[in-house]
Amino acid sequence: MIGNIDNLLNFTNDIYQKKELKPVFVQIADIAQHLWEHGWAERNAGNFSINITSLFHIKELERFSAYPFFPLQKRYPDLARTLFLVSGTGTRMRDMARNPVENICFVYISDSGSAFHIIDGNQEGVSIRPTSELATHLAIQQQLLQKKSPEKVILHAHVTELIALTHLAPFTTELAVNSLLWGMHPESLLFLPDGVGFIPYTLAGTETIAGATLKGFEKHKVVLWEKHGCIALGKTVSEAFDYLDIIAKSAKIYFQCKSTGMEPQGLTGEQLQEIRNSEIVK
Ligand code: 13P
Ligand code: ZN
């Protein structure tokens, strides 16, 4: 445990200076810029969490419990003593791109799994609070740990093309939306052979959306939130972004075809089967 405030401030500095975190910050800045440029992050839209527990020694992790703590609405027993780098609520991706350090906070889950400590680099109290979608992030992060999945990153964005798709009644089922996404672009099937999950409209920032999203991630690496946006998993922030980028392209191809006044043909059943049987990248 940390004995006094000076030690605490020194430790906060050490966290931010940790060399293993440098490439993480670089990638966050890069992807935040892409999200902004794609128009997928208006105002404070979008958020992310990254499980960075493995970058810290157990003795270092113990020291995180000296920081201010806040109770959680639910208990996450499998997340006890895990550490996350989380985007701050209300922060803008365009600011994140220039300065990730000032737009994120560290969230350390308490021994009981029912509270979290915040470390945000501000020396006079906590100024950055974690994303309002923290319940969804923690529920999924816990599921990833339980399944021993290699993914450590959860990325939420307001991908315009995908939101538009979920406003069209014929695509508001998992079956229909996946048929469309796969049919419009081979990469969607190649890189997301299990397709995407589809969650009917639910108020964001609630335990209800967290629970529904958790179900969606039992089988998928991406989940669409009807009329709101989407969430992707990845081993890195870059990989999570790639999944969204690929299916956004499918949706875009669909809308471009429709804008000609004609109906797209889409890949045929045989062509899709041929892709499924192929040995190309997975
Ligand atoms: P936060 O700023 O709280 O992360 O909210 C952004 C968002 O996209 C909510 O769904
Ligand atoms: Zn959102």
Side-chain angles (χ1 to χ4, degrees), residues 39-262:
W40 297 347
E42 76 283 358
R43 199 178 183 276
N44 62 309
N47 40 64
F48 55 81
S49 66
I50 311 174
N51 186 336
I52 54 165
T53 316
S54 66
L55 302 184
F56 288 79
H57 189 273
I58 186 141
K59 287 271 171 248
E60 288 176 303
L61 288 174
E62 279 168 11
R63 302 183 71 179
F64 282 88
S65 52
Y67 289 86
F69 85 96
F70 300 84
L72 284 162
Q73 274 188 33
K74 262 188 74 175
R75 193 168 160 250
Y76 302 88
D78 295 309
L79 292 185
R81 293 178 289 280
T82 51
L83 179 65
F84 298 95
L85 196 161
V86 178
S87 56
T89 186
T91 58
R92 293 168 169 80
M93 287 296 167
R94 64 177 188 267
D95 295 334
M96 187 79 71
R98 284 197 308 266
N99 192 345
V101 167
E102 283 188 6
N103 291 280
I104 59 96
C105 58
F106 296 92
V107 165
Y108 179 67
I109 310 295
S110 68
D111 291 359
S112 63
S114 56
F116 64 94
H117 301 266
I118 298 189
I119 300 89
D120 78 340
N122 187 320
Q123 312 207 332
E124 285 114 37
V126 177
S127 64
I128 302 223
R129 296 284 189 115
T131 170
S132 56
E133 309 286 6
L134 189 65
T136 295
H137 283 267
L138 294 182
I140 306 166
Q141 291 286 4
Q142 178 164 264
Q143 189 179 58
L144 291 174
L145 279 186
Q146 288 163 344
K147 293 203 290 187
K148 298 192 180 1
S149 303
E151 283 85 14
K152 297 198 178 307
V153 177
I154 297 165
L155 175 66
H156 166 57
H158 293 181
V159 176
T160 322
E161 298 82 345
L162 296 173
I163 299 171
L165 210 54
T166 71
H167 276 277
L168 304 179
F171 303 122
T172 51
T173 66
E174 213 163 279
L175 190 67
V177 82
N178 281 310
S179 300
L180 182 91
L181 294 172
W182 286 332
M184 285 298 108
H185 196 39
E187 261 64 14
S188 291
L189 180 56
L190 274 173
F191 291 98
L192 288 168
D194 299 322
V196 302
F198 179 87
I199 310 297
Y201 183 80
T202 310
L203 187 65
T206 59
E207 287 291 344
T208 319
I209 203 166
T213 310
L214 198 57
K215 284 212 179 65
F217 277 116
E218 279 169 11
K219 287 200 293 232
H220 307 286
K221 287 188 193 298
V222 174
V223 162
L224 305 186
W225 279 349
E226 186 184 14
K227 302 174 191 169
H228 178 151
C230 42
I231 305 194
L233 309 179
K235 293 189 271 309
T236 60
V237 189
S238 202
E239 187 181 66
F241 175 85
D242 283 340
Y243 289 133
L244 299 182
D245 202 21
I246 288 168
I247 52 172
K249 179 97 170 203
S250 279
K252 212 167 175 170
I253 294 168
Y254 173 73
F255 288 121
Q256 283 198 358
C257 290
K258 291 288 281 185
S259 72
T260 65
M262 291 191 277

